[in-house]
Amino acid sequence: MNYYSEHSKVWVSVDCIVFGFEGDKLKLLIGRRQMDPGRGEWSLYGGFVRADENLEDAANRVLYSLTGMKKTYMKQVGAFGAIDRDPGERVISIAYCALINVTDYDDLLRKQHGLEWVNIDELPKLYSDHNEMVHKAISLLRRRIKTEPLSFNLLPNLFTLTQLQHVYEAILGDEIDKRNFRKRIKAYDFIEKTELIDKDHSKRGAALYRFNKKHYNEESSFKL
């Protein structure tokens, strides 16, 4: 039986907003669009939802094809369905925000896809409503970073407190008082100080820390 035949059909896609952190800057992974309409314009990376997958599966598939990485932090940002958002067809897109550690991302894969890491404060005009997607994703991160330990997804397994502070400042877009920040961070048992010292980014050598996810799940309380 042919259900809903009296209704018009629309396309559904997912777009991945992939953030990374490098050189004290929050960065976004973008590339030149390889298809019409909009060929050659800066764009997020996305794809159409297949008939045999749900939205999250589609987003994970697109993200994996883009980065080769699994089990990354990813949250739905929202739905974008302006009638004229895509001049090709009536397309509704569901945007997802992902956080990855830049050093974990195979640079050969990035080059294969023709992608670039661009500083958020230097973001060019993107295809269609992709700039709006990015802005909403940043707003989401700014809300969540104060109550969720999402910043650790952007850092290597071992990090300094200075690196951690820079992640917060990059996302919030504002400077943080160093002493107060460290006092709050050190109050949490799931942010563990190790015996290792970072000598690559600090002349005097800075203590390296790690995030203990198991302890965080047990404590289940976080606020900065």
Side-chain angles (χ1 to χ4, degrees):
M1 187 175 293
N2 186 14
Y3 295 106
Y4 314 127
S5 59
E6 71 274 21
H7 299 290
S8 60
K9 294 183 178 180
V10 299
W11 295 88
V12 179
S13 67
V14 292
D15 281 294
C16 290
I17 308 163
V18 183
F19 291 111
F21 178 75
E22 188 178 37
D24 302 342
K25 298 289 185 179
L26 184 66
K27 298 192 173 187
L28 179 71
L29 198 60
I30 61 174
R32 295 287 185 179
R33 191 170 164 86
Q34 301 296 313
M35 59 186 292
D36 293 319
R39 185 183 298 271
E41 294 182 31
W42 286 111
S43 172
L44 298 173
Y45 196 89
F48 288 99
V49 179
R50 296 171 180 170
D52 62 346
E53 62 185 1
N54 59 37
L55 290 174
E56 189 170 327
D57 288 339
N60 278 312
R61 170 178 55 81
V62 170
L63 184 62
Y64 179 73
S65 69
L66 175 67
T67 66
M69 300 168 65
K70 294 182 178 181
K71 296 182 179 179
T72 57
Y73 176 94
M74 187 169 66
K75 295 291 183 183
Q76 188 180 120
V77 174
F80 297 79
I83 296 174
D84 58 350
R85 67 173 302 275
D86 192 310
E89 291 286 352
R90 179 77 168 93
V91 180
I92 294 174
S93 182
I94 313 301
Y96 284 83
C97 166
L99 303 179
I100 67 173
N101 176 18
V102 172
T103 57
D104 287 342
Y105 181 23
D106 187 344
D107 207 47
L108 291 178
L109 191 58
R110 178 188 65 79
K111 292 178 180 178
Q112 177 184 322
H113 286 288
L115 301 171
E116 299 289 342
W117 285 111
V118 178
N119 292 343
I120 286 299
D121 53 6
E122 299 174 355
L123 199 63
K125 172 68 175 68
L126 302 178
Y127 173 75
S128 185
D129 51 7
H130 289 189
N131 285 91
E132 181 184 353
M133 291 181 181
V134 174
H135 291 150
K136 286 194 174 183
I138 293 175
S139 295
L140 180 147
L141 292 181
R142 287 176 175 171
R143 292 194 304 271
R144 288 179 174 266
I145 197 173
K146 297 178 180 179
T147 57
E148 295 180 22
L150 57 84
S151 56
F152 303 106
N153 297 280
L154 295 165
L155 292 168
N157 291 330
L158 295 174
F159 53 85
T160 66
L161 292 185
T162 296
Q163 287 176 305
L164 181 59
Q165 180 177 335
H166 286 164
V167 168
Y168 275 86
E169 291 175 335
I171 292 177
L172 295 173
D174 201 3
E175 292 186 5
I176 300 174
D177 181 78
K178 180 178 179 179
R179 186 163 60 178
N180 287 339
F181 177 80
R182 296 193 173 210
K183 182 179 179 180
R184 293 177 183 176
I185 288 297
K186 291 179 179 179
Y188 293 107
D189 292 337
F190 54 79
I191 303 176
E192 299 176 339
K193 184 178 181 179
T194 72
E195 296 179 355
L196 301 174
I197 299 296
D198 173 33
K199 296 182 179 179
D200 294 329
H201 305 94
S202 174
K203 293 181 179 179
R204 295 185 297 173
L208 287 167
Y209 290 74
R210 67 163 60 95
F211 172 62
N212 189 316
K213 188 174 182 179
K214 181 181 178 181
H215 285 180
Y216 169 74
N217 291 334
E218 292 173 351
E219 191 167 330
S220 67
S221 176
F222 181 69
K223 187 175 182 180
L224 279 181

